[in-house]
């Protein structure tokens, strides 16, 4: 065969190029499917939850009484209960989680860090039912005896347990953000005469602000969406808070209400549709929290780019 014909023969594509193309296609499909699944979940919630506004008056949905047997579907006690438990969990988890992340990333020796980081990540995998059971047997009696409350199943008990559940995620993500700060930042601050604590507070933390904020938002998302733990230790009393003392009284959250009542409600009834309306409210709250976090991160990036330019 002539040499010219051999040179015109098409050569097979390199194996690596096909592998790269397939990998990119799979990653792109995974990203699109995540958005698609979230959209389908929202459509399903809207299809099942919007009929509640035609079957129940809007004023009744935003009333202060939740008693479905007598057709009272007030969502305010459930929303307030979720907000109280979540706010308490955030107030407990953020300071302890941030302090733990700083200790692991900046203060602890290397051998202790190599032990603490995997240990905290393992704690994040504990089932919520196990933590709820431990809370009922250990934490709830301690709260009742120590604080003198009528019952240990209170919003405070749920906040403590939710804080414990959010801590592993918060610590892990925040520690990764602190560890990603270049070593040169710390060396420059120390060379200018800053103390180690001043370096952490005024250099390392501001540089890792975006990652720390992301860790906080992930912890809040874990607290808002938790079901079994709060259902087991918060007392499940649908009541409006009447002051700061509400933290030490039983409450009922939106997630616990859905989990407790969805299995026994008649399909297609007003109660059934109102439960899906609660799901819509949870979806909106989670979306607003993530949107706020994204907006803050975007503003921080723009500010950093402006300073660098």
């Amino acid at each position: 065969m002539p040499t010219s014909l051999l040179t015109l023969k098409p050569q097979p594509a390199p194996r690596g190029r096909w592998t790269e193309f397939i990998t990119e296609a799979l990653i792109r499909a995974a990203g699109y499917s995540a958005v698609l699944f979230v959209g389908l979940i929202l459509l399903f919630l809207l299809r099942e939850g919007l009929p509640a506004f035609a079957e129940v008056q809007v004023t009744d949905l935003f009333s202060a009484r939740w008693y479905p047997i007598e057709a009272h579907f007030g969502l305010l006690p459930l929303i307030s209960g979720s907000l109280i438990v979540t706010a308490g969990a955030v107030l407990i988890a953020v300071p302890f989680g941030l302090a733990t992340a700083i200790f692991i990333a900046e203060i602890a020796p290397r051998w202790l860090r190599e032990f603490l980081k995997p240990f905290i990540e393992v704690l994040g995998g504990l089932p919520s039912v196990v933590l709820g059971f431990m809370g009922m047997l250990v934490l709830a009696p301690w709260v009742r005896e120590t604080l003198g409350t009528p019952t240990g199943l209170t919003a405070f008990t749920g906040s403590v347990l939710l804080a414990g559940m959010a801590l592993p995620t918060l610590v892990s993500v925040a520690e990764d953000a602190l560890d990603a700060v270049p070593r040169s930042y710390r060396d420059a601050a120390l060379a200018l005469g800053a103390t180690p604590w001043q370096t952490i507070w005024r250099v390392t933390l501001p540089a890792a602000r975006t990652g720390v904020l992301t860790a906080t938002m992930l912890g809040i998302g874990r607290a808002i969406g938790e079901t079994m733990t709060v259902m087991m230790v918060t007392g499940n009393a649908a009541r409006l808070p009447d002051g700061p003392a509400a933290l030490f009284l039983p409450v009922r959250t939106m997630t616990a209400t859905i989990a407790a009542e969805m299995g026994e409600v008649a399909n297609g009834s007003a109660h059934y549709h109102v439960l899906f309306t609660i799901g819509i409210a949870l979806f909106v709250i989670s979306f607003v929290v993530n949107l706020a976090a994204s907006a803050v991160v975007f503003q921080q990036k723009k500010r950093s780019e402006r300073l660098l330019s």
Side-chain angles (χ1 to χ4, degrees), residues 53-303:
F53 292 94
E55 300 170 351
V56 182
Q57 294 183 2
V58 177
T59 54
D60 292 338
L61 287 176
F62 291 96
S63 63
R65 188 180 183 191
W66 174 267
Y67 198 63
I69 297 178
E70 296 183 359
H72 294 290
F73 300 106
L75 302 183
L76 290 182
L78 311 181
I79 296 174
S80 61
S82 296
L83 293 179
I84 289 174
V85 175
T86 302
V90 171
L91 291 176
I92 297 172
V94 171
F96 282 98
L98 189 57
T100 305
I102 292 173
F103 174 77
I104 295 176
E106 304 292 329
I107 300 174
R110 186 173 183 84
W111 65 268
L112 184 58
R113 177 182 177 184
E114 292 178 352
F115 167 76
L116 289 177
K117 184 70 181 295
F119 178 73
I120 290 174
E121 292 177 350
V122 169
L123 290 179
L126 290 177
S128 59
V129 175
V130 175
L131 292 175
F133 186 68
M134 293 175 58
M136 292 178 64
L137 295 181
V138 180
L139 184 59
W142 180 87
V143 169
R144 185 185 69 250
E145 296 172 2
T146 305
L147 302 181
T149 58
T151 175
L153 304 178
T154 63
F156 176 75
T157 310
S159 297
V160 172
L161 284 180
L162 285 186
M165 296 183 66
L167 271 175
T169 301
L170 197 155
V171 171
S172 181
V173 177
E175 193 275 335
D176 290 337
L178 293 170
D179 189 57
V181 176
R183 183 67 190 177
S184 59
Y185 287 24
R186 302 175 178 86
D187 294 338
L190 294 172
L192 291 173
T195 63
W197 172 246
Q198 289 174 334
T199 302
I200 293 172
W201 185 251
R202 297 186 177 273
V203 177
T204 308
L205 270 179
R209 185 184 293 113
T210 300
V212 171
L213 178 63
T214 302
T216 303
M217 292 301 106
L218 289 174
I220 293 175
R222 178 73 184 272
I224 292 176
E226 182 52 45
T227 302
M228 291 305 301
T229 300
V230 294
M231 186 169 66
M232 297 172 71
V233 300
T234 55
N236 291 321
R239 54 186 303 277
L240 279 175
D242 52 0
L247 185 62
F248 302 99
L249 294 174
V251 295
R252 190 169 197 176
T253 64
M254 293 185 285
T255 53
T257 302
I258 296 174
E261 300 182 8
M262 183 59 75
E264 301 178 356
V265 69
N267 192 0
S269 63
H271 187 190
Y272 173 86
H273 293 304
V274 171
L275 290 178
F276 276 96
T277 304
I278 298 174
I280 295 174
L282 279 170
F283 188 96
V284 171
I285 292 173
S286 300
F287 178 78
V288 169
V289 169
N290 285 280
L291 185 64
S294 300
V296 173
V297 171
F298 180 72
Q299 291 296 329
Q300 291 295 335
K301 287 183 179 180
K302 286 184 63 177
R303 188 178 304 171

